[in-house]
Amino acid sequence: MKKIQTNCNYCAIDCNLDFLVEDGVIQKVVPTKGYPVNDGFCCIKGISLDKQQTTVKPNSLPWIRQADGTKKTVSWDEAFSYVADKLKSLQADYGTESVAGISTGQLTLEEFAIFGHVMRDYLQTNVDGNTRLCMASAAVSMKQTYGYDAPGYTLKDLELSDTIIFIGANPVVAHPIVWQRVRYNKVPGHKIICIDPRKSETARNSDYYYPIKPRMDLKLLYTLANIMISNDWIDHDFIEKHTNGFDGYREFVKEFTLERAVKETGLSLKEIMELATMIHEGKAVSMWWTMGVNQGYEAVRTAQAIMNLCLMTGNIGRPGTGPNSITGQCNAMGSRLFSNTTCSYAGRDFGNAEDRKIICAVTGSDDDHLARKPTLPYNKIVEGINAGEIRGLWILCTNPKHSWTNNKTFADAVKKLDLFVVQDIYDTTESAEDATVFFPVVPGIKKCGTYINLERRMCRMVPVLPREENEISDYEAILGVGKALGMGSQIEKWETPEMCFNMLREMSRGMGCDFTGVSWRGLENSHGIQWPYPEKMVGQDVAEERRLYEDGIFFTPDGRAKFLYEEPLANPYPQTEAYPYIFNTGRGTVGQWHTQSRTKEVRNVEDVSIKKAYLFMNTRLAREKNIHHMDMIRVSSVNGQSADFAVRITDDVPYDQLYAPEHYIECNCLTPSSYDKYSREPNYKAATVNFVKIGEEA
Ligand SMILES: Nc1nc2c(c(=O)[nH]1)N[C@H]1C(S)=C(S)[C@@H](COP(=O)(O)OP(=O)(O)OC[C@H]3O[C@@H](n4cnc5c(=O)[nH]c(N)nc54)[C@H](O)[C@@H]3O)O[C@H]1N2
Ligand SMILES: Nc1nc2c(c(=O)[nH]1)N[C@H]1C(S)=C(S)[C@@H](COP(=O)(O)OP(=O)(O)OC[C@H]3O[C@@H](n4cnc5c(=O)[nH]c(N)nc54)[C@H](O)[C@@H]3O)O[C@H]1N2
Ligand code: SF4
Ligand SMILES: [Mo]
């Protein structure tokens, strides 16, 4: 039996797994022993990767929608020419920006890099990614505060921290390996703390749980800062040597008094003081945030308020510390650096002449073709389609008709397109229903590439199964269109993923993520390697788990981190008589992945998953409204839409809130077109809604 080590391409942990294969059939999937991330363990999604693309596999040839609505199966070459001609003619008729793309954080580095190369550095169109829905707030907060998008921690810090604070993160469900590492923590008396408006699975398993009112994190964090400063619980030496802007912050937070916080955050004076005291007394305090922070209307400032707390208490760069953003998708970290959307390769600047010279020299691009500016954000792309300005769209490895906020706006948009290319492993997704061209590509187990996980660890995806006739990868599909566009010498250097990797490596030279010491072959069967890993580190004794900022030096020009802050904004959707309930959304179960296109194929997940959209409601509210377990309600949202949900009754959700898993398309029917002003990430977790029991509608 052959053993092939590759990575799981669901969440950002990037567990490594050994596939045992005999005669082209996977016999067993075993989490890789000794791999520093998941050492011999993984969750149900990874262990079920062999079940993918077995039951609903589309034809391996592409199809093109005909005038009468039917789908015509064509050869790959025909499809490449069709798409290339259509892209060119739309640009000729309606302007360069009349076509756009939506990329992803779930493909290989090489795949979204070549997509960015073709769409941005050749066609000069806009391409945003589903990472906008997920990590944009964290990325912007780090760029502004540290000078580079570089989360500094390593997973080992979970084991070394004496005070672990989860804020807007539910790792028990969303990142099981994070939770496993917490459980490996042997620090005597260590405390696990969770801040979440609902008693999530993580809250239930923590030592301290603080049920904050939704969207009140920023005020709580400013208050905590005020308490730390007024009690002189701060690290003067660190602040002085390694930061800028503290004096202004000290003045700014003075108005965030404990009394005010008690009125606004829903937490008691005792709770807030208890939390502040634990942060003060902790010797290694770490704060971990995810979508409860990133998906808000003032998310960047909230993430920075977490960073400010860690900076002022010196909880950064030491073992077990850090303001640590947990990444979502398997290669979101890679797409943040290499999808050519908000920054050019490795964090380079679109407008910088030196960067442009390097890019052209390495990739074979022509300067006249290079993207001139960061992309339009996702919402502007959707609005541009609805306004008739964008006529062609190519999406890969994402299902926005389900996942985009206020998703009717996306459903309406795609009906207006002249060209809508959907590239997915299934043609049964909601988004594929409206495709004018469908590119069926092979899943991760049949292709190669590199991934970067949440702690900056690069690893290799290695093909586990051979391809069948006509089966091609995402990389080859994009390359095919690039050639059909007539890119000629501008795509010559991109023939294989390995060639692409070598170019990306070269482009990382001298940048924060410098991985010039990493090689394509060297990553195979390895323990992965965290960036930075510049050439000069090769041959040195390098620790397997490394953190950044140990020297207190950041990526800003003067090496200092910045205190950034701002007056909290009014909630755009306050609770009103018409919409009295807060509609919180997020992950439902460990087994379900986002829009379920993949996990619905996994029998032991699907068999136990609820088939219709549901939400959780507080027991008292349900009783008052005469609602019983799995009764149907019609929920109407402040965004003007309504959708039906089955009700599950629980004490874990407060009286005035509802919690809906995002795995059902109905969920984003109700979320608003509202965004953080810096990151343009959707405010997914706090629409206001009302409901009636079905059968009792007026
Ligand atoms: N099984 C499974 N795992 C996944 C995924 C999946 O689809 N399925 N998706 C992956 C991806 S891409 C991502 S981004 C991550 C997401 O991982 P998480 O962010 O951990 O998951 P969510 O459930 O979106 O949100 C986390 C928590 O934020 C809370 N929250 C809501 N509003 C607020 C608030 O105002 N303040 C605070 N403090 N908390 C709030 C919610 O109640 C929820 O418990 O999960 C990854 N892992
Ligand atoms: N209300 C609400 N909405 C949310 C969120 C929330 O918390 N609340 N979370 C948001 C977040 S954090 C995220 S990351 C998004 C995720 O939103 P999406 O990215 O839209 O969701 P996925 O279901 O992961 O879509 C991935 C698609 O890629 C396909 N695919 C898998 N492997 C391959 C491959 O190798 N190649 C190609 N081409 N396709 C492949 C799958 O079949 C699937 O259709 O959802 C966002 N939406
Ligand atoms: S989904 Fe995440 S935790 Fe589960 S096996 Fe995959 S990488 Fe590991
Ligand atoms: Mo995500």
Side-chain angles (χ1 to χ4, degrees):
M1 213 163 343
K2 221 162 106 189
K3 185 177 96 175
I4 299 161
Q5 182 187 331
T6 187
N7 66 300
C8 169
N9 61 346
Y10 280 105
C11 91
I13 300 284
D14 287 356
C15 288
N16 267 224
L17 308 162
D18 295 336
F19 283 75
L20 304 179
V21 185
E22 196 164 23
D23 300 329
V25 180
I26 302 167
Q27 304 293 339
K28 224 184 203 174
V29 185
V30 185
T32 308
K33 285 219 175 65
Y35 192 69
V37 172
N38 63 306
D39 188 13
F41 178 74
C42 79
C43 84
I44 188 163
K45 297 186 291 301
I47 204 97
S48 308
L49 271 172
D50 57 332
K51 313 289 187 309
Q52 200 178 298
Q53 222 195 15
T54 49
T55 51
V56 285
K57 182 173 179 271
N59 189 329
S60 25
L61 284 171
W63 52 253
I64 299 174
R65 179 100 51 198
Q66 305 299 294
D68 64 0
T70 57
K71 303 169 186 170
K72 182 180 171 208
T73 301
V74 297
S75 71
W76 277 108
D77 280 339
E78 213 177 323
F80 295 153
S81 303
Y82 179 85
V83 170
D85 292 348
K86 203 82 192 172
L87 288 169
K88 282 196 289 195
S89 72
L90 285 172
Q91 283 194 315
D93 293 346
Y94 303 104
T96 311
E97 297 192 37
S98 65
V99 298
I102 296 178
S103 185
T104 184
Q106 293 180 53
L107 289 177
T108 68
L109 268 190
E110 298 74 22
E111 287 165 341
F112 42 67
I114 190 173
F115 190 62
H117 175 63
V118 173
M119 295 291 278
R120 302 261 302 139
D121 282 352
Y122 184 70
L123 292 178
Q124 294 182 310
T125 65
N126 292 294
V127 171
D128 204 6
N130 62 3
T131 31
R132 181 75 70 175
L133 321 183
C134 179
M135 299 314 301
S137 301
V140 172
S141 69
M142 283 184 261
K143 277 188 209 170
Q144 292 182 350
T145 300
Y146 298 157
Y148 194 70
D149 179 11
Y153 65 98
T154 187
L155 286 167
K156 184 86 182 167
D157 287 316
L158 289 159
E159 297 171 28
L160 304 175
S161 181
D162 61 17
T163 311
I164 307 168
I165 306 176
F166 290 106
I167 172 162
N170 186 15
V172 169
V173 166
H175 297 93
I177 297 295
V178 164
W179 193 252
Q180 181 201 29
R181 301 294 290 260
V182 170
R183 285 303 178 207
Y184 281 174
N185 187 309
K186 300 271 188 310
V187 179
H190 70 271
K191 301 179 178 83
I192 307 168
I193 300 161
C194 180
I195 305 172
D196 195 308
R198 68 182 183 111
K199 200 167 188 183
S200 67
E201 292 78 355
T202 302
R204 265 187 261 145
N205 286 289
S206 295
D207 303 316
Y208 297 84
Y209 166 50
Y210 298 109
I212 191 166
K213 275 193 189 157
R215 301 294 115 213
M216 284 299 131
D217 303 86
L218 187 59
K219 287 183 178 164
L220 173 68
L221 291 158
Y222 286 160
T223 309
L224 289 169
N226 190 13
I227 298 170
M228 307 310 282
I229 296 167
S230 27
N231 287 298
D232 201 21
W233 290 346
I234 56 177
D235 185 337
H236 294 276
D237 193 46
F238 189 90
I239 294 170
E240 200 180 306
K241 284 200 186 116
H242 301 299
T243 69
N244 280 326
F246 179 71
D247 290 341
Y249 196 48
R250 180 206 302 268
E251 286 309 306
F252 171 78
V253 294
K254 276 188 180 152
E255 62 177 277
F256 295 89
T257 59
L258 200 46
E259 295 67 35
R260 180 177 163 191
V262 170
K263 279 201 204 103
E264 295 179 331
T265 64
L267 301 180
S268 68
L269 190 142
K270 186 173 156 287
E271 286 173 312
I272 299 172
M273 278 314 294
E274 179 183 62
L275 181 55
T277 308
M278 285 193 284
I279 297 173
H280 165 55
E281 288 175 351
K283 301 277 175 283
V285 180
S286 57
M287 302 186 75
W288 307 79
W289 84 85
T290 320
M291 293 308 124
V293 169
N294 285 350
Q295 294 171 338
Y297 58 86
E298 51 190 359
V300 169
R301 291 293 180 246
T302 307
Q304 284 165 336
I306 297 174
M307 298 163 93
N308 294 348
L309 258 185
C310 291
L311 288 168
M312 72 164 71
T313 55
N315 277 302
I316 188 164
R318 289 187 293 112
T321 66
N324 301 329
S325 128
I326 307 176
T327 311
Q329 304 170 80
C330 45
N331 208 359
M333 277 302 295
S335 80
R336 281 150 72 172
L337 289 167
F338 289 106
S339 63
N340 203 356
T341 53
T342 54
C343 65
S344 189
Y345 301 96
R348 291 178 188 277
D349 188 344
F350 294 109
N352 180 311
E354 192 52 34
D355 281 340
R356 299 168 70 89
K357 230 164 85 189
I358 294 170
I359 293 165
C360 290
V362 175
T363 66
S365 285
D366 174 345
D367 189 82
D368 288 345
H369 279 268
L370 286 193
R372 305 254 153 225
K373 53 183 190 308
T375 179
L376 281 179
Y378 205 128
N379 65 305
K380 292 285 172 206
I381 294 178
V382 179
E383 287 163 23
I385 303 171
N386 275 315
E389 289 152 13
I390 297 177
R391 318 284 291 233
L393 182 71
W394 181 359
I395 69 169
L396 29 126
C397 200
T398 185
N399 185 11
K401 197 173 160 191
H402 176 142
S403 60
W404 176 239
T405 195
N406 199 357
N407 60 17
K408 184 170 183 296
T409 58
F410 191 88
D412 288 345
V414 292
K415 290 197 172 32
K416 300 184 178 148
L417 290 167
D418 297 323
L419 173 72
F420 181 30
V421 184
V422 175
Q423 179 166 320
D424 202 293
I425 56 179
Y426 307 109
D427 66 358
T428 47
T429 68
E430 291 99 347
S431 302
E433 283 167 18
D434 301 291
T436 61
V437 179
F438 183 77
F439 282 178
V441 285
V442 295
I445 49 175
K446 291 190 176 180
K447 65 187 183 188
C448 64
T450 52
Y451 279 75
I452 308 179
N453 84 348
L454 73 180
E455 46 155 17
R456 313 176 315 283
R457 184 178 305 275
M458 307 186 72
C459 71
R460 261 299 299 282
M461 174 174 266
V462 177
V464 171
L465 294 180
R467 309 244 194 102
E468 290 166 30
E469 198 187 353
N470 294 322
E471 285 190 335
I472 73 167
S473 68
D474 288 274
Y475 193 90
E476 290 153 358
I478 303 157
L479 182 70
V481 174
K483 286 181 176 170
L485 281 166
M487 285 177 72
S489 63
Q490 294 191 62
I491 198 139
E492 266 170 13
K493 293 183 169 185
W494 294 76
E495 204 51 43
T496 65
E498 185 174 351
M499 289 165 76
C500 175
F501 172 84
N502 290 338
M503 291 190 284
L504 302 184
R505 180 178 61 182
E506 190 47 40
M507 243 126 29
S508 77
R509 191 178 292 279
M511 302 300 292
C513 67
D514 193 327
F515 59 91
T516 43
V518 180
S519 79
W520 176 261
R521 291 263 166 245
L523 278 179
E524 260 179 60
N525 293 313
S526 75
H527 283 184
I529 189 110
Q530 288 172 294
W531 64 252
Y533 189 73
E535 253 166 5
K536 64 170 188 260
M537 280 172 101
V538 178
Q540 286 179 19
D541 188 15
V542 174
E544 193 148 79
E545 299 186 275
R546 285 181 288 143
R547 70 187 61 78
L548 300 176
Y549 314 126
E550 287 185 316
D551 53 4
I553 310 285
F554 297 89
F555 293 95
T556 48
D558 64 1
R560 288 163 175 266
K562 282 187 212 147
F563 281 92
L564 291 164
Y565 48 91
E566 190 170 324
E567 202 52 53
L569 301 170
N571 189 334
Y573 304 104
Q575 287 165 284
T576 60
E577 215 171 297
Y579 297 108
Y581 306 105
I582 294 170
F583 186 71
N584 181 6
T585 69
R587 276 73 206 156
T589 64
V590 178
Q592 288 167 298
W593 181 256
H594 299 148
T595 72
Q596 298 199 81
S597 13
R598 292 175 76 187
T599 46
K600 72 168 181 275
E601 254 209 290
V602 181
R603 277 292 299 277
N604 44 6
V605 170
E606 183 61 2
D607 286 355
V608 294
S609 296
I610 294 177
K611 300 290 173 294
K612 55 187 168 193
Y614 66 88
L615 55 70
F616 289 98
M617 181 183 286
N618 177 273
T619 313
R620 181 161 64 92
L621 179 62
R623 198 179 310 126
E624 283 176 18
K625 302 283 179 183
N626 190 28
I627 288 167
H628 300 96
H629 179 65
M630 294 310 271
D631 276 356
M632 294 299 294
I633 59 170
R634 178 151 303 154
V635 184
S636 52
S637 162
V638 71
N639 77 351
Q641 303 295 323
S642 62
D644 297 349
F645 292 81
V647 176
R648 295 177 70 187
I649 297 169
T650 176
D651 287 332
D652 295 338
V653 170
Y655 179 83
D656 63 346
Q657 294 171 37
L658 302 167
Y659 181 75
E662 49 142 344
H663 311 300
Y664 304 87
I665 196 167
E666 287 84 348
C667 175
N668 280 323
C669 187
L670 305 183
T671 48
S673 295
S674 156
Y675 314 93
D676 176 272
K677 69 175 167 184
Y678 299 105
S679 68
R680 312 306 297 167
E681 176 158 345
N683 172 21
Y684 272 124
K685 285 180 159 43
T688 48
V689 298
N690 207 344
F691 64 87
V692 287
K693 191 170 164 180
I694 290 195
E696 292 180 1
E697 302 97 314

